[in-house]
Amino acid sequence: MAGGGPRYEKLEKAPIDAESLLLDVRKEKIDKVISQRTRTFTIVLDRLEDSFNIAAVLRTCEANGLQEVHVIVNPAAPFMPNSRVGQGCDKWLDVKLYKDFASCREHLKSRGFSLYASAIREDATSLYSMRFDSKIALVFGNEREGVSQEVLDGSDGTFWIPMRGFSQSLNISAAVSACVTRVISWREEHLGRVGDLTEAEAQVLRDRFYMLAVKQRKRIFKKAPPSKP
C-alpha cells in the first residue's frame, strides 16, 4: 500500500506538475520531513485486532520518521485503521500487508533486517541495552495473545520493555510508542541523525509527497485501486 491509505497516481497526461501548485513553505516542510525519514528501522504488527490501536501505531511511526510499517493481517479482523485516530497519517507511509509472518520475514531478511519480537521471557533482551545502528524491525503481537509462536521461532531474538511499577505490560500502541521513541533518540544520540534515505529514495518520496500535498490533486490525479494483502 504505497502511501498507506487513499492513494493517488498521476494521470498519463497530467495538466500541471504538482510541485508548481505548492507554496515554498509547504515544499520546505516536505523536504525537512524527508530528510528525517528512515527505511532502516521499521515496525511489524502481528495480527492486531483493534482499529484504534492500529491507527495509533501508524500515527506514532509517521510522526517519528519511519517510512514503512509491515502488517501481518488478522484473518478475523480486516485491516481498517480508525480514521479519526490516524488523522490521515497513513497516506504518508508505506504500509505493507502480508498474509503470514513467513512472507514478511522473507521480505525483510532479503533487505538485511534483523527481527526482534516483543515478548516477556527470561531470555529476552532489555530494550535499553539494545543497539540500533543497523537495519532492525521490532515485531509486536496481537492484543490478547502477543506474538505467535511462528514469530518467536523466526525472529533473531526477543526483547522487552522493563517495567518499574506493578503493571507488567503496556497497551500495544503505548508499547510501540515507547520503543519507537527509544530507537529514534538512540540514533540521534549515537549516530547524530535519524534520516538515512539515499538521494534516489528521497527524490521518489519527494515526488509522491508533493502530489499528496496538493489539495486539488483529484483534478490531476486518479485514485488507484486498493491493494490486496
Side-chain angles (χ1 to χ4, degrees):
M1 297 174 63
R7 294 188 294 136
Y8 294 87
E9 294 180 349
K10 287 185 177 180
L11 293 168
E12 293 183 3
K13 295 182 179 180
I16 192 169
D17 184 68
E19 182 177 355
S20 65
L21 297 175
L22 298 176
L23 295 175
D24 288 342
V25 66
R26 185 59 169 163
K27 288 186 284 187
E28 290 171 4
K29 173 62 175 179
I30 290 173
D31 290 345
K32 182 178 180 180
V33 167
I34 291 173
S35 72
Q36 299 178 90
R37 274 303 205 244
T38 179
R39 286 190 184 274
T40 61
F41 168 48
T42 190
I43 295 298
V44 177
L45 302 178
D46 178 28
R47 303 166 298 116
L48 264 60
E49 300 175 353
D50 189 273
S51 64
F52 287 82
N53 283 335
I54 295 171
V57 168
L58 296 182
R59 190 167 175 176
T60 292
C61 291
E62 197 287 316
N64 281 278
L66 279 66
Q67 184 54 38
E68 300 179 14
V69 177
H70 299 262
V71 178
I72 302 161
V73 176
N74 187 328
F79 179 73
M80 296 180 64
N82 185 280
S83 59
R84 290 189 177 182
V85 176
Q87 293 293 303
C89 69
D90 53 340
K91 76 178 181 181
W92 306 109
L93 293 168
D94 290 324
V95 182
K96 301 182 184 296
L97 306 182
Y98 306 86
K99 291 183 178 180
D100 51 49
F101 175 68
S103 54
C104 177
R105 181 183 185 279
E106 180 181 4
H107 172 78
L108 290 172
K109 279 294 185 180
S110 70
R111 295 169 55 193
F113 278 84
S114 297
L115 285 78
Y116 286 85
S118 175
I120 301 177
R121 294 157 53 109
E122 289 187 2
D123 60 345
T125 302
S126 166
L127 173 73
Y128 303 127
S129 65
M130 296 174 67
R131 297 182 60 86
F132 303 103
D133 50 359
S134 59
K135 291 184 176 182
I136 189 167
L138 301 183
V139 188
F140 295 85
N142 177 272
E143 292 92 340
R144 293 179 294 105
E145 303 170 354
V147 294
S148 67
Q149 187 61 47
E150 181 184 13
V151 169
L152 293 174
D153 293 340
S155 295
D156 296 290
T158 56
F159 75 95
W160 71 297
I161 305 171
M163 298 286 106
R164 297 179 175 86
F166 293 107
S167 300
Q168 291 301 296
S169 63
L170 296 172
N171 171 273
I172 177 67
S173 61
V176 172
S177 180
C179 292
V180 169
T181 300
R182 170 62 179 175
V183 175
I184 295 303
S185 62
W186 190 97
R187 287 188 165 191
E188 286 186 329
E189 179 182 353
H190 292 84
L191 306 180
R193 60 181 174 80
V194 175
D196 53 25
L197 300 183
T198 66
E199 183 51 44
E201 289 174 330
Q203 187 56 54
V204 170
L205 212 55
R206 186 175 295 110
D207 291 342
R208 194 171 94 202
F209 284 3
Y210 281 178
M211 175 179 61
L212 290 170
V214 175
K215 291 184 179 180
Q216 305 96 327
R217 62 179 176 268
K218 290 186 178 180
R219 295 183 179 180
I220 59 176
F221 300 105
K222 63 180 180 180
K223 191 174 182 179
S227 298
K228 296 182 179 180

